[in-house]
Amino acid sequence: MAMLNKAKPQRRSAGTDTLIGEGTLWEGSCTSEADIRIEGEVVGDLRISGEVVIGEKGIVRSEITAKDVTIAGRMEGTVKADGVVRITATGKLFGTVQAGSLIIEKGAVFQGNSHMIEGTDDRIFPCAVV
């Protein structure tokens, strides 16, 4: 007769993506080790260890602190990223950016202020318009 091995519950992987889908309104703060993709609406602060992607239909009114942030939808507030903040051609950012590097694609909207973080990787251009 075999003995049953009772394993401890496993924590979710830091690589697990979190999706806030279209038609969803999230109000309140969120802290996560996983990447997050927003296609709905978020009102509240986000503290994400990985990457935040605001999809084309996403709307965020918040302060985001993350490793990297990609904005393809609408962002109003403050974005703080140790790595790259990218505003795609469909993206709109109204607020303040503090990042290692900032990439603004042709057609994007950025109205606000930017502050570059010192000590970034020399292979990344601090600011680029593509």
Side-chain angles (χ1 to χ4, degrees):
M1 189 161 135
M3 296 184 70
L4 296 177
N5 183 9
K6 293 185 180 181
K8 293 181 182 178
Q10 296 291 321
R11 285 189 57 169
R12 294 180 81 168
S13 166
T16 303
D17 287 332
T18 302
L19 172 66
I20 298 176
E22 186 177 353
T24 301
L25 170 61
W26 176 287
E27 293 181 327
S29 63
C30 177
T31 301
S32 177
E33 293 179 14
D35 296 342
I36 186 169
R37 182 174 184 91
I38 302 165
E39 293 292 347
E41 185 173 353
V42 172
V43 179
D45 294 345
L46 302 174
R47 306 262 183 264
I48 309 301
S49 297
E51 180 181 13
V52 174
V53 175
I54 301 171
E56 288 186 19
K57 297 184 180 188
I59 300 170
V60 178
R61 293 177 184 90
S62 129
E63 177 176 298
I64 296 174
T65 303
K67 180 181 176 188
D68 298 309
V69 178
T70 299
I71 302 167
R74 182 180 182 94
M75 169 66 196
E76 299 174 11
T78 302
V79 178
K80 297 178 182 177
D82 293 331
V84 178
V85 172
R86 175 185 296 271
I87 308 171
T88 70
T90 59
K92 296 176 175 65
L93 172 58
F94 303 94
T96 301
V97 174
Q98 178 180 322
S101 62
L102 174 62
I103 299 170
I104 303 171
E105 293 181 4
K106 184 177 179 179
V109 174
F110 174 44
Q111 293 181 357
N113 299 303
S114 65
H115 306 279
M116 305 316 290
I117 299 171
E118 292 185 38
T120 59
D121 190 336
D122 291 337
R123 295 172 293 159
I124 299 174
F125 295 103
C127 185
V129 178
V130 292

